Amino acid sequence: MKDNRYNWKIKDTSDVDIEEIATETKINPVLVKILVARGMKSADEILNFINDDPQIIHDPFLLHDMQTAVDRIFKAIENDEKILIYGDYDADGVTSTTIMFETLDQLGANVQYFIPDRFKDGYGPNLEEYQRFIGEGVQVIVTVDNGVAGNVAIDYAQENGVDVIVTDHHELPAELPHAFAIVHPRHPQGDYPFGDLSGVGVAFKVATALLEEIPEEFLDLYAIGTVADLVSMTDENRFLVKAGLNLIPETQRIGLQKLIDISGVDPVHFDEQDIGFTIAPRINAIGRLGDANQAVELLTTFDEDRATQLAKKINDVNSERQGLVSAIFDSAVKIAKDQDHAKSQTLVIIGHDWHQGVLGIVASRIVELTNKPTIVLSDQEHNEVYKGSGRSVQKLNLFQAINPVREQFIAFGGHHMAIGITIKGDELMILENQLEKAALENKLNFRDQPEFLIDVKAQISDFSKELVEEIKTIGPFGTNNPIPRFELEEVRVKEAKAIGKDSSHLKFTVADGAETINAIAFKRDEITDILNNISNPISIAGTVNTNEWRGNVSLQFMADDIKINGLQVIDKRTSNLNKNLFEKDTQYVFFNQKLMQLIKNQDIDRNLYLFDSDDIKKNDAITLVDCPSNFEELSRVIKFNQPQQIVAYFFHQIDFYADGMPSRTEFKQVFALISTQKLSQEAVKKLGSKLKINQEKVNFMIKVFFELNFVKIENGLLFVNSDVQQHQLDEAPAYKKREELIKTQEKLLYSNGNELSAILEQLINV
């Protein structure tokens, strides 16, 4: 059985002399190998990457329409025109709005900000909101993190004498709005050298152009928005996010301080993972379930009491969000696995009265579970208007997949990996068919394991606290600059246990010779029992970090995937057969038909097979319930069925190996006693105690005598056959069978785990 969830790919670094570059750069060879695996071929390239050079920050005026936008904003400030910052409700949009608002406020503008309501207004420019603000006297609208798809509202504004300056980074549609200016890093008429700015990155560039210097006070916001939006963590993004992370522990933003504090994050060791897993989800939560304008207020307020109040509310909303996600996910999983969806390459999952603010998170989790591009939608009170979000796999650009039919939907926008969409009930089939069609055109197969790129193979001895610190120098990590992944190959599990509130995570220790390291695998509790009972070596792929507990700092491996090498042999040998051993829904194989019938009679609803049954499913898991009489039986079931996993109970009522073969003296004692008298059945049953020999052995010896014609029974009495001919004891079939049984039990019951694994693996390969 496959336990690895991904298709591991290790990058080739054989064409570069790692040791030579390590000597030249004075950098740890492991770190050099990582950077070489990422395409850097020389010492100069590596040093240029590691050494932070401010020259990597690009001129904001290279962005399309930047000069036009700046001139119009300054004109509005000079004329005291009313300016509206029109933002977005996620962490990127909130930080973009904050930067743009504070910049214009600092310049003395008559400015206000507005974050649309996710449910009432939807994503991007909303015509009714534009009409309302224009009616209230707004003369210039600056969009942040939205706008390139807002043709209707923007055209309305321009036609009514209100200039709209779009600052955005999302996918450019075929027809752009007729805005006064469009500042976008990928505008086809622009010359900007780095197209992967987030919304906050574009806002930061506008602020830089307006202020005529890099506004360092906004770097904390740049870091949060950029990390949250999962854009490329390369080029100037990496440089500026790193600078922002260094500033966050000392941020002057009272609200951000309060949010970090209430989230339980250590500000001293604050990094990009704290943004991605703690801060950004909380900012996103208020936009999903409430009013994201409060998140902007949190980041801009100077009132400590108000900051505390807002931070608590945002934290509480995030807890509510977690509960909603869990409940909706459980329902969505059932739909994803039902007969209508099981064989499709994509998923459009429909619900009713699901909270639409968390459907993107649910979609992400379904993609992770199924490896299928997924769109999750819901209407409210069965109004037949479905809103939701989609998430994709790397091989399918979700925006491009749906874009050909976008005109048939109420609203649509997004990018490669994520979309937002609003459609009517009678359009659902169009969406499903288009998504499935795109999957077929891109030759998707959800059964193909997703690729998992590994930087280097390593040994436990390669890891050190110093290496962990050196690795941080090539961060911050994110898209296109992932945290380095290692493969530990052929390590042995020493101990495994399920941990966490719901015992869903796996903590285990692996050893490579004398070296050991503790490891964690999230959501992998299902293989705890396997790891505790296999003797196979395993390989693990993931990242290495340090863990601090009560002042002690230790190395820890975060296992993203686990691969059990070779045939999985799970050692659960027992002499106590009970119903609990048949809890798992798998194939149970018996060598003793009477024992199998006994288990069947206990109404155990499981697949029970005799070892030579043709009904055993090949290339699957089997459980060997009892111990075979010989290796020929064992070889038959293993070689013929080629199982990927064997659970070995090897139940046995009698330990023939421990009891051994009766000695010749014992054979003589029993035969001598029978020679002196005729024995009844009751007398035979008492021979063992009379001779102080195990009664099972006595019964066996009498059977041997029978087979060799040494004894016979007449009128219910056992006596010596006077016509006996001379035979060797080992000529008796029972004697030979016991010899084989002893040898079989010796190997199967008394071998250690490693030896048992080798024995069974040898049989499968014979």
Side-chain angles (χ1 to χ4, degrees):
M1 294 179 68
K2 282 188 176 179
D3 290 291
N4 53 300
R5 295 175 172 176
Y6 301 99
N7 179 19
W8 299 8
K9 298 287 186 182
I10 299 180
K11 299 168 187 177
D12 184 16
T13 59
S14 59
D15 59 335
V16 177
D17 189 331
I18 303 297
E19 292 298 330
E20 182 181 330
I21 294 177
T23 301
E24 188 175 346
T25 60
K26 298 180 180 178
I27 295 172
N28 188 308
V30 176
L31 187 57
V32 170
K33 198 169 185 179
I34 291 166
L35 294 172
V36 169
R38 296 185 177 192
M40 300 175 204
K41 303 295 185 182
S42 68
D44 286 343
E45 281 184 275
I46 287 173
L47 290 173
N48 286 339
F49 181 79
I50 290 177
N51 296 329
D52 301 319
D53 185 356
Q55 295 299 317
I56 201 170
I57 302 174
H58 305 300
D59 181 352
F61 287 97
L62 294 175
L63 282 158
H64 179 263
D65 274 353
M66 179 63 83
Q67 189 65 61
T68 303
V70 168
D71 290 345
R72 183 64 184 92
I73 289 171
F74 275 129
K75 180 181 177 183
I77 294 171
E78 290 168 8
N79 296 333
D80 197 32
E81 294 178 85
K82 198 171 184 180
I83 303 174
L84 172 70
I85 310 300
Y86 193 100
D88 186 30
Y89 36 69
D90 66 3
D92 189 23
V94 164
T95 50
S96 304
T97 303
T98 303
I99 285 179
M100 195 68 76
F101 173 74
E102 290 189 348
T103 299
L104 298 188
D105 185 60
Q106 183 179 333
L107 292 169
N110 179 5
V111 62
Q112 66 185 108
Y113 63 82
F114 172 74
I115 306 288
D117 183 288
R118 178 188 287 264
F119 311 108
K120 181 174 72 71
D121 304 318
Y123 168 76
N126 177 279
L127 179 59
E128 291 183 5
E129 293 294 355
Y130 269 45
Q131 289 171 335
R132 177 172 69 87
F133 281 111
I134 291 170
E136 293 174 359
V138 165
Q139 294 160 285
V140 176
I141 298 174
V142 181
T143 73
V144 289
D145 195 32
N146 73 93
V148 291
N151 299 49
V152 175
I154 292 173
D155 287 352
Y156 171 84
Q158 291 291 153
E159 289 164 4
N160 285 272
V162 174
D163 288 331
V164 180
I165 297 169
V166 172
T167 75
D168 199 358
H169 73 116
H170 290 95
E171 292 270 1
L172 292 162
E175 183 180 349
L176 293 170
H178 299 104
F180 184 85
I182 298 178
V183 182
H184 191 292
R186 284 202 175 96
H187 195 287
Q189 297 172 22
D191 295 311
Y192 203 70
F194 181 60
D196 286 304
L197 294 177
S198 61
V200 75
V202 180
F204 185 87
K205 289 295 174 178
V206 175
T208 303
L210 288 168
L211 297 171
E212 299 180 344
E213 63 179 0
I214 295 172
E216 294 185 8
E217 67 272 21
F218 297 146
L219 286 171
D220 51 359
L221 301 176
Y222 190 105
I224 293 170
T226 301
V227 171
D229 220 49
L230 303 177
V231 292
S232 180
M233 194 61 69
T234 57
D235 205 90
E236 63 181 335
N237 273 348
R238 177 173 164 267
F239 180 90
L240 293 170
V241 168
K242 188 172 188 177
L245 288 170
N246 290 334
L247 288 177
I248 284 177
E250 301 172 0
T251 182
Q252 299 302 303
R253 296 182 187 279
I254 299 171
L256 182 55
Q257 291 174 3
K258 298 295 183 184
L259 187 60
I260 290 171
D261 182 57
I262 202 168
S263 302
V265 174
D266 178 7
V268 176
H269 300 104
F270 194 93
D271 62 17
E272 64 273 21
Q273 293 194 50
D274 293 314
I275 293 175
F277 293 106
T278 306
I279 301 304
R282 282 163 170 76
I283 296 174
N284 285 333
I286 193 69
R288 293 180 186 280
L289 306 186
D291 180 6
N293 288 282
Q294 293 177 322
V296 179
E297 184 183 358
L298 174 77
L299 296 175
T300 56
T301 185
F302 293 102
D303 185 326
E304 187 166 354
D305 291 339
R306 181 59 176 159
T308 301
Q309 180 186 18
L310 287 167
K312 184 179 184 306
K313 179 173 183 178
I314 288 172
N315 196 60
D316 291 344
V317 169
N318 185 59
S319 297
E320 180 187 353
R321 185 268 307 171
Q322 291 171 326
L324 287 169
V325 168
S326 179
I328 296 171
F329 176 74
D330 289 343
S331 299
V333 166
K334 293 176 183 176
I335 298 172
K337 292 184 175 181
D338 67 21
Q339 288 186 347
D340 293 335
H341 296 87
K343 294 182 180 179
S344 63
Q345 297 300 328
T346 63
L347 294 169
V348 177
I349 297 175
I350 310 300
H352 299 290
D353 296 319
W354 289 349
H355 199 295
Q356 293 167 343
V358 300
L359 300 186
I361 302 173
V362 174
S364 292
R365 295 192 180 179
I366 296 292
V367 172
E368 185 178 342
L369 179 70
T370 65
N371 196 31
K372 298 179 180 183
T374 300
I375 299 173
V376 182
L377 302 164
S378 176
D379 66 351
Q380 301 299 308
E381 298 179 357
H382 293 267
N383 65 358
E384 287 295 302
V385 175
Y386 292 85
K387 292 183 179 181
S389 297
R391 298 293 184 267
S392 195
V393 296
Q394 197 62 44
K395 281 185 71 175
L396 182 72
N397 185 313
L398 195 54
F399 179 86
Q400 291 180 3
I402 305 302
N403 197 51
V405 294
R406 67 179 296 166
E407 298 303 325
Q408 301 187 53
F409 306 143
I410 297 171
F412 171 73
H415 49 81
H416 183 130
M417 297 297 288
I419 62 157
I421 191 168
T422 304
I423 67 175
K424 294 177 182 177
D426 57 9
E427 297 166 343
L428 291 172
M429 189 61 69
I430 297 172
L431 177 64
E432 290 180 8
N433 291 340
Q434 177 62 29
L435 188 57
E436 193 71 7
K437 176 185 174 185
L440 294 173
E441 289 172 351
N442 284 271
K443 298 180 180 179
L444 284 194
N445 185 349
F446 68 87
R447 293 181 180 86
D448 292 341
Q449 291 180 311
E451 272 196 2
F452 186 80
L453 296 178
I454 297 170
D455 291 283
V456 295
K457 287 187 179 182
Q459 296 179 326
I460 297 174
S461 58
D462 290 329
F463 298 147
S464 65
K465 297 169 191 174
E466 291 74 22
L467 175 63
V468 171
E469 289 303 311
E470 285 189 73
I471 286 173
K472 291 178 182 178
T473 63
I474 65 172
F477 300 110
T479 304
N480 298 331
N481 187 39
I483 187 167
R485 289 170 174 160
F486 301 91
E487 178 185 351
L488 290 177
E489 195 175 32
E490 298 283 319
V491 292
R492 302 240 173 218
V493 179
K494 296 191 71 175
E495 179 187 15
K497 61 181 178 181
I499 61 169
K501 288 182 181 179
D502 56 356
S503 297
S504 64
H505 309 310
L506 173 66
K507 182 176 183 180
F508 58 111
T509 302
V510 292
D512 178 7
E515 301 282 348
T516 63
I517 191 169
N518 292 327
I520 299 284
F522 292 116
K523 301 294 183 182
R524 293 308 307 269
D525 61 295
E526 83 282 358
I527 61 170
T528 305
D529 194 44
I530 293 174
L531 292 187
N532 274 326
N533 290 284
I534 62 164
S535 54
N536 307 56
I538 70 169
S539 295
I540 56 178
T543 60
V544 65
N545 63 16
T546 52
N547 180 49
E548 186 170 347
W549 174 250
R550 294 180 177 175
N552 295 318
V553 179
S554 60
L555 289 170
Q556 181 173 257
F557 195 87
M558 308 304 293
D560 295 307
D561 206 12
I562 297 170
K563 186 187 293 183
I564 299 175
N565 302 324
L567 170 69
Q568 292 182 26
V569 178
I570 301 172
D571 184 1
K572 289 192 157 188
R573 287 175 284 190
T574 182
S575 57
N576 179 24
L577 204 61
N578 57 68
K579 279 190 173 184
N580 293 336
L581 295 177
F582 297 88
E583 287 182 347
K584 191 174 179 181
D585 187 12
T586 187
Q587 302 181 109
Y588 294 91
V589 176
F590 293 78
F591 297 95
N592 186 305
Q593 190 165 14
K594 289 182 180 178
L595 179 64
M596 184 175 78
Q597 191 58 50
L598 181 66
I599 298 299
K600 277 186 177 178
N601 293 342
Q602 296 184 42
D603 295 326
I604 292 177
D605 185 21
R606 289 288 180 261
N607 297 314
L608 311 181
Y609 304 103
L610 203 60
F611 73 95
D612 55 359
S613 170
D614 291 332
D615 295 327
I616 298 172
K617 192 187 298 182
K618 295 178 175 59
N619 299 304
D620 208 333
I622 60 171
T623 295
L624 302 178
V625 178
D626 52 333
C627 189
S629 301
N630 54 63
F631 268 86
E632 187 177 337
E633 293 177 349
L634 184 60
S635 178
R636 165 68 175 75
V637 70
I638 293 178
K639 186 177 179 181
F640 184 74
N641 296 293
Q642 292 288 302
Q644 293 184 18
Q645 182 190 83
I646 296 176
V647 180
Y649 291 167
F650 288 148
F651 167 74
H652 52 285
Q653 291 176 304
I654 301 172
D655 190 337
F656 290 100
Y657 175 73
D659 292 346
M661 187 70 79
S663 66
R664 291 195 169 272
T665 300
E666 288 172 326
F667 271 106
K668 287 178 180 179
Q669 283 180 281
V670 173
F671 190 79
L673 198 149
I674 297 173
S675 301
T676 61
Q677 55 187 302
K678 293 184 176 182
L679 299 174
S680 66
Q681 188 175 1
E682 288 301 315
V684 169
K685 290 180 180 178
K686 295 177 181 178
L687 278 182
S689 58
K690 186 173 183 179
L691 296 173
K692 296 182 180 179
I693 300 173
N694 184 300
Q695 184 62 41
E696 184 275 326
K697 281 188 177 180
V698 171
N699 296 340
F700 164 71
M701 287 185 277
I702 291 173
K703 186 173 183 180
V704 169
F705 293 154
F706 263 114
E707 291 179 349
L708 297 176
N709 205 28
F710 288 174
V711 298
K712 60 183 179 179
I713 294 178
E714 289 181 1
N715 300 321
L717 297 176
L718 175 72
F719 58 95
V720 172
N721 183 3
S722 57
D723 297 329
V724 65
Q725 295 181 1
Q726 189 170 356
H727 289 284
Q728 296 297 319
L729 291 173
D730 58 10
E731 292 179 42
Y735 194 97
K736 291 179 179 177
K737 184 177 180 180
R738 189 180 183 100
E739 275 189 324
E740 270 202 77
L741 194 51
I742 288 171
K743 290 177 183 176
T744 302
Q745 286 196 346
E746 177 187 11
K747 293 199 173 200
L748 298 184
L749 303 184
Y750 284 84
S751 56
N752 61 36
N754 291 343
E755 291 166 344
L756 178 63
S757 179
I759 290 167
L760 298 181
E761 188 146 15
Q762 185 177 14
L763 288 176
I764 206 169
N765 293 320
V766 170

